[in-house]
Amino acid sequence: MVEWEQRRDEEPEPWRGIGGVSNTFLYATPEEFTALATAIVDLLEPLMARINDPSARPDGARPVLLAQLSVPLPPTASGD
């Protein structure tokens, strides 16, 4: 991430606005979270297929690191 921030301004415009770190807190049931995780995998699947098949990569495609972290938090006394 540090390396990206150092070179971001040197990148072509379409790439400059991509990347970053974000955190989102959600309230979900196990079933909802499983459905969300499945939807994410479904979205990533066609892009991941390109990893081993360079001929499937469109012009301008380049490697991108997508890091995911999902951690159920403990319930709170108030439910918040």
Side-chain angles (χ1 to χ4, degrees):
M1 190 66 205
V2 172
E3 185 269 338
W4 165 246
E5 289 298 334
Q6 291 172 343
R7 69 178 165 80
R8 179 184 289 235
D9 289 340
E10 300 166 14
E11 290 288 334
E13 184 57 42
W15 288 100
R16 285 185 203 158
I18 308 173
V21 176
S22 67
N23 292 307
T24 302
F25 288 95
L26 306 170
Y27 284 84
T29 65
E31 296 80 14
E32 290 171 325
F33 198 79
T34 298
L36 175 62
T38 299
I40 291 170
V41 168
D42 290 346
L43 287 170
L44 292 175
E45 198 170 87
L47 299 174
M48 292 175 64
R50 299 175 182 175
I51 293 170
N52 295 320
D53 184 4
S55 68
R57 300 174 195 163
D59 290 341
R62 39 191 281 198
V64 174
L65 172 64
L66 174 65
Q68 293 179 288
L69 174 66
S70 300
V71 180
L73 300 174
T76 62
S78 68
D80 291 335

